Amino acid sequence: MRDEKIFKDNWSFLEKEAQKIKKISMRDLFLDKSRANDFTQSFSDITIDYSMNRINKDIMKALFNLAESSDLKNEIKKMFSGEKINITESRAVLHTALRNVSNNPIYVDGKDVMTEINQVLEKMKNLSNKIIKGEWKGFTGKKIKNIVNIGIGGSDLGPKMAQLALKKYSNRDLNFRFISNVDETNFYEDVKFFDPEETLFIISSKTFTTEETMANANLAKKWILASMKDIESIKKHFIAVSTNAGEVKKFGIDPDNILEFWDFVGGRYSLTSAIGFSLMISIGYDNFYEMLKGYHEMDMHFLNADFSENLPVILALIGIWNNNFLGYNNIAILPYDEYLSRFPAYLQQLDMESNGKSIDKNGDKVKLETGPILWGEPGTNGQHAFYQLIHQGTKIVPVDFIGFRKDLNGEKDSHDRLISNMFAQAEALCFGKTFEEVLETETKDEFLAKHKTFEGNRPSNKILITELSPKTFGELVALYEHKIFVQGIIWNIFSFDQWGVQLGKVCAKKILKEIQNSLELNHDSSTNNAIKWYKNI
């Protein structure tokens, strides 16, 4: 059980330590020549150097004690064993089962879920091989050349991010598009140059009732029928990823083309389920399975490693320290790899939808800061955009730099320049440049020197990976998944529900009826005026 007394004692100690260390510069902390080695930890292909944070050994010890007093070890075991830790929805949380390549039994309500998971994985393998080999023909007999994934949230961000991240390993004979926005522009611009007879749609919706997804699915259906004029064509041009077989059949999709997933997998954690089917088509089953291995290796590391050596736990605790004790409520994810350009957007949902909560597990208002604001872009583009604020702004923004040793495209000079920039940015954020140093090396003009001074003491982690492969990609995503879980446990909130997305949907349905019909408007004056403006009243 969570030991509230020990937890509060550790929390109080950390609050006092935060006030002390704020007075110590990073330059002074790095006078200790062993510092980088003391605050670097590796597992498999990933190394995390977290030495460029305002921490010391006493602080890290207290943070590990904080995790212990949160009953974190037991909470991790509960998740992996299939207990219904998603209390508000009475569900297990078993995205880890999706990549359980060791195939150990995992039970939910007395049933080993691995049997069905492996059956769906095998079905995905067979269907994807047919498409890749050109054996899947459209209604008119043409080979499928275009794959369009229609989903939203985790059913879109995950596959889209991953397909780009692993593009080096993808089948270039196929075109991939990802449609999510209910704005019809997203649909029509993405399919504009596609031949309907060569296009396959994957409709990803657990309930097959998600409003945005079904609106786009119906646009796709209309587009296919406009070309082929036969309702039977739907069976050759649509696959469904859903739990609602009844609605899928009503839509016209062949029951043999339904890929199942389960309510113990949240949308934002579902990439390794059938939601990742478009990714499997892109990179092939073998690469997809290598990705699952990477996820599983990080899962097992998270489950078994001591906290002091546990990468997700360390990353989570550094985030807790920066957010709750130093007051830095942002975090920037800055991958120095163009293939990971959508990774910050993916993590945005993963983190902010999971831990953007203000009610704790007891139903009380939280008394501390929970999830940070997460954002980012790939380097080096961001250096010529928002890095100015990170270096010299009034807001402190902790950074996760993500870099790879090996270049995938054989351009070593370009990669040397890229990674040099990443290391330099971390160094500059940490140590800055003093007023005196500017006067000595750049200008004698004191007015100008003030503007060229960098305070430093801006925290960052360097996440260093050998190369971007399906396996290391799986390790990286799982690292962040488990980091988020740890932080939710320490904040004592539920990380696996997302009630915050519901209210806006309910309001939108009401407004849609008022826009499309002559109904009395019963909103505030601003909303009423906006509806009148749209209807040109």
Side-chain angles (χ1 to χ4, degrees), residues 448-460:
L448 183 58
K450 290 178 182 178
H451 292 275
K452 290 191 170 190
T453 297
F454 293 77
E455 291 179 357
N457 297 315
R458 314 250 165 165
S460 68

Side-chain angles (χ1 to χ4, degrees), residues 64 67-68 72-73 76 305-311 313-314 317:
F64 291 130
E68 292 280 3
L72 178 59
K73 284 184 180 177
I76 294 171
D306 291 340
F307 288 169
S308 62
E309 300 174 352
N310 195 309
L311 266 56
V313 172
I314 290 169
L317 292 174

